[in-house]
Amino acid sequence: MLKFIICDDETASLSLMETLVRTWSAERKCEAKITLCRNAEQFLFLWEDKKDADIIILDIDMPGMNGIRLARRLREEGGAAQIIFATGLAEYALEGYDVEAVSYLIKPVDKARFFACLDKAKERSLKEEPVLVLRTAEGMARVKLSDICYLESDAHDTQVHCVSAAGAEDVQTGRTGIREMEARLAELSGGFFRIHRSYVVNLAYVSRISKREVRMDTGEVLPVSRNRWEALNLAYLAYYAER
């Protein structure tokens, strides 16, 4: 499923974009979840909560923060969503590409060209490796899912234990509880499992499972709750059966 956010202060334009996206998704047999916003402030309110979108369709000429400034802020905060600008302001085209936009469409939007842009955005979105966006004490950070070894609860925060391609270990502290982190990961991948109230593991890094603990590829040993052992084994077998 692709997650869309459409932001436009004009009701008619917002409705048209939603209709076009739904028509495109039906023709491509691609499930779409669409969230609508009427200005940058409303967008940011939603974004601060989940930072959850694959494709963002932005108007530029909006009251308050315009679409270009909004896109720049998203990039500064680590947002990797594909951005399509749809606006009546041709003079902003070059600035649109500064934020790695997929395309810049002039209203009234041509259906065929819009669909071609959505195809390109979908292709680019699928090629990019999924990431978990963390709110840290220093700001925002993006972590590749494939680099996450396991998550560890730390009061109201979560320690994200990562392993780089070179084998170096790194720990980042996300200012979010482990339950919310687990829910975010479930939306992005089926490769994570809660083994204990304080631990969520990436099954790709689990080397051995026993009734009381799991051993990770890094050599670390983590506890397994008594009532999670059977479900963990089933999840582990299912994970590798799909590969």
Side-chain angles (χ1 to χ4, degrees):
M1 180 176 67
L2 287 175
K3 302 178 185 67
F4 290 80
I5 298 180
I6 306 173
C7 187
D8 196 310
D9 65 318
E10 297 178 1
T11 301
S13 182
L14 196 64
S15 177
L16 174 61
M17 291 296 175
E18 181 184 14
T19 299
L20 288 173
V21 170
R22 292 197 184 282
T23 302
W24 172 85
S25 65
E27 290 185 4
R28 303 300 191 268
K29 295 180 173 57
C30 172
E31 187 179 357
K33 176 183 177 183
I34 303 173
T35 301
L36 304 179
C37 300
R38 296 185 179 276
N39 52 57
E41 288 69 25
Q42 185 181 11
F43 180 103
L44 289 171
F45 179 80
L46 296 170
W47 187 255
E48 289 297 323
D49 182 38
K50 290 189 174 181
K51 291 183 170 57
D52 190 20
D54 299 302
I55 300 172
I56 299 171
I57 301 168
L58 284 180
D59 185 19
I60 290 181
D61 188 18
M62 297 185 291
M65 182 184 295
N66 69 28
I68 295 291
R69 288 173 55 204
L70 174 58
R72 284 181 178 151
R73 177 164 172 177
L74 297 182
R75 293 301 189 227
E76 289 169 0
E77 293 184 355
Q82 304 304 315
I83 296 175
I84 298 173
F85 288 109
T87 182
L89 301 175
E91 60 267 29
Y92 282 101
L94 291 178
E95 292 185 69
Y97 292 111
D98 285 343
V99 293
E100 301 176 5
V102 173
S103 191
Y104 187 103
L105 303 174
I106 303 299
K107 297 177 181 177
V109 172
D110 176 76
K111 177 181 175 181
R113 189 178 175 199
F114 185 53
F115 279 21
C117 289
L118 292 176
D119 289 338
K120 184 178 179 181
K122 177 186 175 184
E123 182 180 356
R124 282 173 54 167
S125 178
L126 294 176
K127 281 183 177 179
E128 291 191 359
E129 185 174 349
V131 297
L132 179 67
V133 179
L134 303 177
R135 183 190 303 279
T136 70
E138 293 76 29
M140 308 304 297
R142 287 190 295 164
V143 179
K144 293 180 181 179
L145 296 196
S146 61
D147 288 344
I148 299 174
C149 184
Y150 67 94
L151 278 62
E152 179 181 5
S153 179
D154 181 13
H156 297 295
D157 299 335
T158 302
Q159 301 283 343
V160 181
H161 296 255
C162 301
V163 180
S164 71
E169 294 186 39
D170 177 47
V171 180
Q172 297 202 48
T173 302
R175 299 298 192 186
T176 306
I178 196 167
R179 288 185 182 276
E180 184 175 337
M181 288 280 199
E182 181 186 17
R184 289 184 189 176
L185 288 170
E187 293 179 350
L188 297 168
S189 166
F192 290 83
F193 188 86
R194 172 80 78 92
I195 62 171
H196 183 276
R197 64 182 182 181
S198 298
Y199 295 95
V200 173
V201 298
N202 185 341
L203 295 172
Y205 285 93
V206 173
S207 62
R208 184 173 62 82
I209 301 173
S210 68
K211 286 191 175 182
R212 294 187 177 181
E213 61 188 30
V214 298
R215 181 175 294 275
M216 310 303 290
D217 287 342
T218 57
E220 293 168 286
V221 176
L222 307 177
V224 176
S225 295
R226 186 180 305 174
N227 63 348
R228 302 297 290 159
W229 178 75
E230 186 174 351
L232 170 60
N233 278 276
L234 293 174
Y236 193 71
L237 291 172
Y239 175 78
Y240 279 101
E242 295 175 355
R243 280 154 178 77

